[in-house]
Amino acid sequence: MILKTDHLILRYANVQDAKFILDLINSPEFIQNIGDRKVHNLADSEQYILNRMVAGYNKWGFGSYIVESQETQIPMGLCGLVQREGLELPDIGFAFLRPYWHKGYALESSLAVLQYAKEKLNLHRVLGITKLDNQPSIRLLEKLGLKFEKIVPGVSEPNRLFSIDL
């Protein structure tokens, strides 16, 4: 376990999360707003967890964490920090399965991640990136206190870049 909030547990991903990760990253909303990760079966998902998520924890000391309910221990989404190529600072990211939208889980987990970034990782600034028209993510970044900085190039289209001083 990395973090515990009033309702949530944030923890490292492992290969036992392959089914959940497969479902999440193949959801239409994930593909539309974040991108197609080309993960099509459980074996691909296990490799994604090992090569992207666990590798990030080992390289950077942070990454995307599984967000689950304290009450049920059921994974609901991901939230964490990612060090992206081309960015000098890590950015906060979040993605939840649709049944867990509009319940405050993304806000609660993101606030905990920002506090963790400041207090445990000693980060002084964090970025946030969204597609130009991803209004729910834009609203959440603004609610977290991130401010719009500029439009930046993305893999397939421009993105909005936000930042916050911690």
Side-chain angles (χ1 to χ4, degrees):
M1 180 176 68
I2 300 298
L3 296 166
K4 190 173 184 180
T5 69
D6 288 345
H7 306 101
L8 307 172
I9 293 170
L10 282 75
R11 63 170 176 79
Y12 291 117
N14 60 63
V15 293
Q16 285 78 35
D17 296 306
K19 173 74 170 93
F20 165 72
I21 293 295
L22 181 66
D23 292 345
L24 178 67
I25 67 178
N26 283 296
S27 68
E29 298 85 8
F30 189 100
I31 291 170
Q32 177 185 348
N33 292 311
I34 298 171
D36 186 351
R37 298 296 187 240
K38 310 289 188 220
V39 173
H40 303 293
N41 55 52
L42 286 176
D44 290 348
S45 185
E46 289 173 0
Q47 288 306 305
Y48 180 87
I49 291 166
L50 293 172
N51 297 332
R52 300 273 306 255
M53 300 177 79
V54 173
Y57 305 147
N58 293 333
K59 182 174 184 177
W60 302 105
F62 53 79
S64 291
Y65 307 115
I66 301 287
V67 178
E68 57 187 30
S69 163
Q70 276 192 44
E71 185 178 315
T72 65
Q73 286 83 49
I74 294 175
M76 301 183 292
L78 296 174
C79 186
L81 299 169
V82 179
Q83 184 64 56
R84 297 187 195 278
E85 195 172 310
L87 292 179
E88 62 188 65
L89 298 168
D91 75 279
I92 189 163
F94 37 82
F96 285 79
L97 291 171
R98 187 174 265 293
Y100 303 104
W101 288 15
H102 308 295
K103 298 185 185 319
Y105 299 133
L107 177 62
E108 185 174 335
S109 59
S110 295
L111 286 169
V113 165
L114 289 176
Q115 184 176 355
Y116 180 77
K118 179 180 181 178
E119 294 175 4
K120 301 292 185 193
L121 300 174
N122 296 313
L123 295 176
H124 301 288
R125 193 163 180 249
V126 170
L127 304 177
I129 295 190
T130 69
K131 289 196 173 185
L132 296 179
D133 61 349
N134 187 348
Q135 291 303 316
S137 290
I138 291 167
R139 282 192 298 275
L140 179 55
L141 290 173
E142 290 173 340
K143 197 178 275 192
L144 292 168
L146 282 85
K147 303 290 185 218
F148 173 75
E149 280 192 12
K150 60 185 175 182
I151 304 293
V152 296
V155 174
S156 61
E157 62 187 88
N159 290 304
R160 294 177 192 259
L161 178 72
F162 294 77
S163 69
I164 186 170
D165 293 323
L166 301 176

